[in-house]
Amino acid sequence: MLAQGTSAPPTLIFHHARIYTVDAASTVSEAIALQDDRIVRVGSDADVLKLRASSTRVVDLGGAAVLPGLHDAHGHFTGLGAFLQSLNLRGTTSYSQIVDRVRERVAMARPGEWIVGRAWDQNDWADTRFPAHEALSAVSPNNPVYLTRVDGHAGLANRAAMTLAGLTAATPDPPGGRILRGAGNAPTGVLIDNAQGLVSGRIPPVSDRQLEEQILLADREMRRLGITTVDDAGTDGRTVDAYKRLIDAGRLKTRLYVMLRGSLAALQPFFAKGPVTDYANHRLAVRAIKIVADGALGLRGAAMLEPYDDESGTRGLLTTPPEEIYAQTLAASKAGFQTAVHAIGDRANRIVLDTFERVQREVAGSRGLRMRVEHAQILDAKEIPRFAALGVIASMQATHATSDMPWVPTRIGRARMEEGAYVWRKILATGAVIANGSDFPVEEPDPMRGLYAAVTRQDASGSPRGGWMADERMTRQEALVSFTRSAAFAAHAESLTGSLEVGKLADLVVLSSDIMRVQPPDILETTVRMTIVGGEIVHDTASPRPGVR
Ligand SMILES: [Zn+2]
């Protein structure tokens, strides 16, 4: 490896630490030396400190735990930015509190500017009935407002928004949607499912400037949380261009592994140019596509082989026809792009694995592209060994299991659940690779939540006792590997990131406590003291202006 033999002194040394290198031997070391963006030595304090020169910055970590930079294998980068940009109504306890927050936002807004908020839940209020628009319209007569419910399946519009949308008592309910109505059939402002598009479709697309702001907001969250690489699970060329601009300007620090999402026609120009495996010294790769095969389990949209237990007429739905999944996978594989397919239900998973198997037969060398199933939540027992057999990566999100566990038994019944619901250990036992992630902003991006969920299968309050389907818990080492080395493998980056070894990129995090040794609930309390990307400290709680410039 290139750095071992160089004679230039290290730029940065961390010592007096407990460094989980996540190398093949799970070595724990005391010190690490970085030279510019690479790791040049990992070893004992004595061994590493003897490399110091007068120009070397030396940091005594006082025994703190150090991990490789954490890697979220499935997140929505601009989605998180949009979430942070909008009014966050999570945790509000009354409608009047929401109205107050909108009033504050209106005072700062330009005339006519849309005010978008998210994540209210009337079940958290003393009065759990749906709200009506009047109070909202009173504080925002001129700015259209649209506030989405926590699950994204309902929204509340004010009068200005309804006027722009042409929504009146005479507007019929659209197919698959409902407009809640009051006196004289007048809309109350609450729109359910497909009726939401009547108003949300009027919100103008973000400007380049807003898009860049979203990216920088997400980047700041990543630095704070110790996430040094994100696999961006479905984006477009315009966003990729914005990533490049911000990388070139030195403002975007998180490494991004982009999955493009679009029609075959929209993807063809990218296929024609070929994969981007390294932009700006491994800041960005564009070498994957994302396809969505089915819906979500919570809404009975996941495509199942047999009907849902709590709705016998329904097996869920495929959101992309199998021929289209095949056509995109084939074209991507011929062009040297990895294919990542969202598949939650057992039927969707079977179709996707069948497709991967077929394309691997038809396109020589495509197995090496490391095809991925995103989520892989409910599997028929027959499919479990196919991940390893086909070299397909299971890209799973530990917190999805702990968010979903209260209602999974009702949806699919005990037998299917025990056979294949979020079966991390069954998959690992076959030799397949699990890359972990959060699916932010659907779940919180904090990897500590993911690590905790992976090793406990419990919610934050420690329920259920012993863990849900406890045999499927990961060990701490497995959980750590899934958020580092395996995630790097899933992004073709295992020679660059995912472990702290000489020659690799200097991406690491310093923690407030040792997550490999504390009691499991303390993993949730653990924070990131310092985040280093490519040898640069991009977040430091000890510095007055942590990591932001
Ligand atoms: Zn997702």
Side-chain angles (χ1 to χ4, degrees), residues 74-76 233 290 342 375 400 439-440 442:
H74 184 123
H76 299 274
K290 164 90 181 287
H342 160 124
H375 311 309
H400 278 336
D439 202 7
F440 65 73
V442 178

Side-chain angles (χ1 to χ4, degrees), residues 402 405 452-453 455-468 520:
T402 51
M405 63 189 177
Y452 168 82
V455 300
T456 63
R457 288 178 77 107
Q458 291 173 325
D459 67 17
S461 71
S463 178
R465 289 236 164 279
W468 179 59

